């Protein structure tokens, strides 16, 4: 899968991706793990769209382009699975375990956020720079602003999807999983990866091959973290066996 290929430089508008995610929300049952992430991401995208319209971004065009190119990565993974194919490795754990009874909603949400921030965001920055004909430094402000919104919404997501008082108990395995992943670190890693990919593409020669290898390794490493985040925690997982998903790692 040539994941680092750019998306067509078509006119960029946030509304179509919001409409698509709303349609997916109606298509999947609420308990579906991908549906859990989709609801979270729809909330994020609607909030970013609202803030773009309110003039909270210095460069509205750059913000909208980054937002859309970002969303396209997730929607491309959805389309790949719907067509009977395989999504990028970072998304496979979520699609594989989407119906597992031992995985909690908060785990589904964080696994999706991990895939989208840890892998897709870096590629979306590169896609955005290609679309706008600019450098990563030119969209750093929009990147940071989007990241700030994601951080605020992550706090709300954790509050809404908390399983209850048990989470406060140090013995709860979910407490340990939550402590193993950080959105801030994922954001920092995405920015570093985006800058590295951009430089590899610009220098030419054999470096595009290195960029492809870099992207594949990033994809796999993020996928491994996603698999950890989806470790079944419910007692029912002891007898439920493997997941009902059909996507292999």
């Amino acid at each position: 899968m040539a994941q680092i290929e750019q998306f067509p430089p078509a006119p960029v508008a946030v509304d179509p991706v919001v409409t698509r995610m709303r349609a997916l929300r109606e298509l999947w049952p609420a308990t579906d793990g991908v549906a859990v992430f989709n609801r979270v991401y729809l909330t994020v995208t609607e909030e970013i769209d609202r803030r773009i319209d309110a003039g909270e971004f210095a460069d509205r065009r750059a913000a909208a382009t980054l937002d859309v190119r970002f969303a396209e990565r997730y929607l491309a993974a959805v389309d790949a699975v719907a067509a009977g194919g395989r999504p990028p490795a970072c998304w496979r754990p979520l699609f594989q375990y989407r119906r597992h009874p031992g995985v909690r909603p908060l785990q589904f949400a964080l696994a999706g956020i991990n895939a989208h921030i840890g892998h897709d965001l870096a590629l979306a920055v590169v896609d955005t720079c290609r679309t706008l004909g600019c450098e990563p430094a030119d969209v750093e402000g929009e990147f940071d602003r989007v990241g700030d919104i994601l951080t605020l919404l992550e706090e709300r997501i954790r509050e809404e999807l908390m399983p209850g008082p048990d989470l406060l108990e140090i013995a709860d395995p979910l407490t340990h999983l939550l402590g193993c992943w950080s959105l801030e670190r994922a954001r920092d890693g995405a920015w570093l990866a985006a800058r590295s990919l951009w430089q590899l593409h610009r220098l030419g020669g054999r470096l595009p091959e290195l960029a492809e290898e870099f992207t594949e390794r990033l994809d796999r490493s993020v996928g491994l973290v996603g698999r950890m985040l989806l470790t079944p925690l419910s007692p029912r997982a002891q007898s439920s066996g493997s997941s009902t998903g059909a996507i292999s790692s």
Side-chain angles (χ1 to χ4, degrees):
M1 179 182 296
Q3 296 174 32
I4 58 177
E5 292 181 359
Q6 71 184 87
F7 288 90
V12 174
V14 180
D15 288 347
V17 295
V18 170
T19 299
R20 178 79 193 285
M21 281 187 273
R22 286 173 178 168
L24 292 174
R25 180 183 60 187
E26 302 303 318
L27 179 65
W28 295 324
T31 55
D32 183 293
V34 183
V36 172
F37 169 74
N38 188 78
R39 291 196 301 274
V40 167
Y41 190 34
L42 174 58
T43 300
V44 169
T45 306
E46 289 174 333
E47 179 68 11
I48 292 174
D49 191 23
R50 184 190 70 77
R51 296 193 183 203
I52 291 174
D53 291 342
E56 295 187 22
F57 287 86
D59 187 335
R60 295 178 61 175
R61 181 168 178 252
T65 302
L66 178 59
D67 192 27
V68 171
R69 296 297 179 242
F70 192 26
E72 286 172 335
R73 291 283 170 181
Y74 158 62
L75 295 174
V78 171
D79 289 341
V81 174
R86 299 205 320 168
C90 62
W91 285 106
R92 286 174 207 160
L94 180 60
F95 282 94
Q96 181 180 5
Y97 285 83
R98 65 192 298 178
R99 299 180 183 89
H100 198 299
V103 179
R104 302 182 189 178
L106 182 56
Q107 292 176 263
F108 288 130
L110 290 182
I113 294 171
N114 169 69
H116 208 35
I117 301 292
H119 173 265
D120 293 356
L121 185 54
L123 275 61
V125 170
V126 174
D127 294 335
T128 298
C129 291
R130 285 170 156 174
T131 299
L132 300 178
C134 65
E135 299 286 322
D138 297 323
V139 298
E140 186 172 5
E142 284 65 41
F143 177 95
D144 288 340
R145 183 67 177 141
V146 168
D148 290 342
I149 295 170
L150 288 168
T151 299
L152 290 173
L153 289 173
E154 185 206 16
E155 296 174 2
R156 186 189 308 171
I157 290 162
R158 287 177 184 251
E159 291 176 359
E160 292 178 355
L161 296 179
M162 288 290 189
D166 288 347
L167 186 64
L168 300 177
E169 298 179 5
I170 195 170
D172 191 322
L174 185 56
T175 303
H176 297 283
L177 277 183
L178 293 179
C180 292
W181 188 84
S182 163
L183 188 145
E184 183 176 357
R185 289 197 297 269
R187 281 174 53 190
D188 291 344
W191 183 247
L192 177 60
R195 291 174 56 199
S196 300
L197 278 170
W198 186 253
Q199 290 302 320
L200 288 173
H201 284 301
R202 285 188 61 190
L203 292 174
R206 288 188 62 254
L207 292 180
E209 297 177 8
L210 294 178
E212 183 73 27
E213 182 178 352
F214 180 94
T215 304
E216 290 178 358
R217 290 180 181 272
L218 175 66
D219 187 21
R220 291 173 190 162
S221 64
V222 173
L224 287 175
V225 174
R227 176 62 187 84
M228 177 197 72
L229 289 171
L230 291 172
T231 300
L233 301 178
S234 167
R236 288 177 296 173
Q238 299 294 328
S239 59
S240 62
S242 60
S243 86
T244 57
I247 301 172
S248 59
S249 300

